[in-house]
Amino acid sequence: MAALRKRALATFVTALAVTGVTVVAAPSASAYPGPGVVTGDIRVHDPSVVKRPDGSYLVAHTADGIGLKTSTDRTAFRNAGAAFPNGASWTTTYTNGSRNLWAPDISYLNGQYYMYYSASSFGSNRSAIFLATSPSGNAGTWTHRGLVIETRTSDNYNAIDPDLVVDDQGRWWLSFGSFWSGLKMIALNPSTGLRSDSTVRSIAGRNGGAIEAPNIVKRGNYYYLFVSFDYCCRGAQSTYRVMVGRSTSVTGPYVARNGTAMTSGGGTEILAGQGSVHGTGHQDVFSDVDSDILVYHYYGDDGASRLGINLLAFDSAGWPYVR
């Protein structure tokens, strides 16, 4: 199901961008930049990044008890333990007893850290999304706040890969989903971070095809929905790629650059595997002092997943591109 891979490397362009040299031209569709330089403990899967009040960075990622990493400069990263070092017993119904928890989404709001995360097992939609909060974001300081949404095998969607967005009116929304009927959105109560009503909205889908990992950000007049098409979790054979659509409303409809609705399989590709970089995806976008930042994982030729970071810019028509 994978689309034709883009094969030209432009690592030098990214190196210039990361070191502060302005790159004025968007990469063509056949020449994506390689990941920027990162060092240290960079083995991650499904990364989410938040900038802390002191200017440092906190990464949460798929691991036993949710893995944490920190960085002072967005380049050198070190392991920082687990959010739940003693496990999360409330999740094991969905994980078949495993301590491995998936795809956290981390935010800093109202003076505390919020983390939505998934509990499931591979290939199953008997899944759940939970919320935890912490005053510091540090390992062992996270408090379980409850179940947000669950799915059963009778459902036609999957409660994994959560992403929180706060709209211009201050309303909280959680997008999520993987395969089945596609990506969904629910409303949250900002005072609790938990679900506020029973409505489930559809925001993207590929008629049962491989789509997951929604991430929504507002820039200018548009909400941008970043997603991952195709397949992760196959090492160097992974075909993940980052796609995007946009809407003037947080709940959609989101459309690709060519006008195709994302609920009808639409999406504009902005990053894909090339050379020794395989399966770029499970993206997270955040704003930093120098640029918008795209964070993702990819696989090397050895099959190990690694942290990818690039700068993200917008062209004259308001569409994002990686640099």
Side-chain angles (χ1 to χ4, degrees):
M1 294 176 64
L4 181 65
R5 294 290 130 209
K6 313 303 184 186
R7 293 296 176 189
L9 273 172
T11 305
F12 181 61
V13 174
T14 297
L16 289 176
V18 171
T19 54
V21 177
T22 300
V23 180
V24 295
S28 71
S30 61
Y32 295 122
V37 176
V38 292
T39 63
D41 299 317
I42 60 169
R43 296 294 179 91
V44 302
H45 205 274
D46 308 330
S48 179
V49 179
V50 66
K51 191 164 186 181
R52 306 175 101 165
D54 66 1
S56 66
Y57 303 86
L58 177 64
V59 182
H61 60 93
T62 293
D64 286 0
I66 300 291
L68 301 173
K69 300 183 190 299
T70 57
S71 175
T72 60
D73 59 5
R74 213 176 68 208
T75 298
F77 291 82
R78 66 175 184 85
N79 290 328
F84 306 113
N86 299 317
S89 59
W90 54 91
T91 66
T92 55
T93 296
Y94 307 92
T95 64
N96 292 331
S98 172
R99 293 172 58 138
N100 196 251
L101 299 173
W102 298 353
D105 175 68
I106 191 167
S107 304
Y108 183 75
L109 295 163
N110 305 325
Q112 67 176 335
Y113 295 86
Y114 288 77
M115 183 171 65
Y116 293 89
Y117 59 97
S118 318
S120 189
S121 59
F122 199 80
S124 171
N125 71 330
R126 178 64 173 125
S127 310
I129 293 168
F130 294 92
L131 171 64
T133 62
S134 167
S136 67
N138 295 334
T141 67
W142 291 88
T143 299
H144 170 50
R145 296 300 184 188
L147 173 70
V148 181
I149 186 171
E150 66 176 339
T151 47
R152 300 179 182 275
T153 55
S154 58
D155 289 314
N156 69 350
Y157 60 98
N158 195 8
I160 66 170
D161 292 3
D163 178 75
L164 172 66
V165 61
V166 180
D167 71 15
D168 285 343
Q169 288 73 49
R171 297 174 300 182
W172 288 29
W173 304 91
L174 193 76
S175 59
F176 62 93
S178 172
F179 288 70
W180 274 270
S181 64
L183 307 184
K184 309 298 180 182
M185 176 180 279
I186 57 174
L188 302 177
N189 182 339
S191 65
T192 64
L194 303 178
R195 195 170 177 182
S196 62
D197 63 33
S198 61
T199 303
V200 178
R201 300 164 173 84
S202 293
I203 56 172
R206 299 180 75 192
N207 193 30
I211 180 173
E212 54 193 7
N215 174 229
I216 297 175
V217 297
K218 177 75 183 298
R219 297 292 183 266
N221 295 323
Y222 293 100
Y223 294 91
Y224 291 86
L225 170 58
F226 297 86
V227 303
S228 294
F229 274 16
D230 301 335
Y231 295 93
C232 82
C233 314
R234 298 181 175 186
Q237 303 305 310
S238 300
T239 56
Y240 246 13
R241 53 196 174 107
V242 180
M243 314 292 288
V244 70
R246 71 185 187 186
S247 173
T248 55
S249 169
V250 70
T251 56
Y254 289 90
V255 299
R257 190 165 193 155
N258 66 3
T260 303
M262 294 189 77
T263 50
S264 298
T268 299
E269 186 180 282
I270 63 168
L271 186 64
Q274 55 193 354
S276 295
V277 174
H278 309 281
T280 55
H282 206 100
Q283 62 292 318
D284 189 29
V285 175
F286 72 99
S287 181
D288 210 344
V289 293
D290 56 336
S291 176
D292 280 311
I293 308 299
L294 178 73
V295 178
Y296 54 96
H297 75 243
Y298 69 95
Y299 302 86
D301 289 337
D302 61 358
S305 60
R306 295 174 171 85
L307 178 65
I309 297 180
N310 286 85
L311 305 185
L312 189 72
F314 291 80
D315 66 18
S316 59
W319 285 95
Y321 64 92
V322 176
R323 61 188 183 95

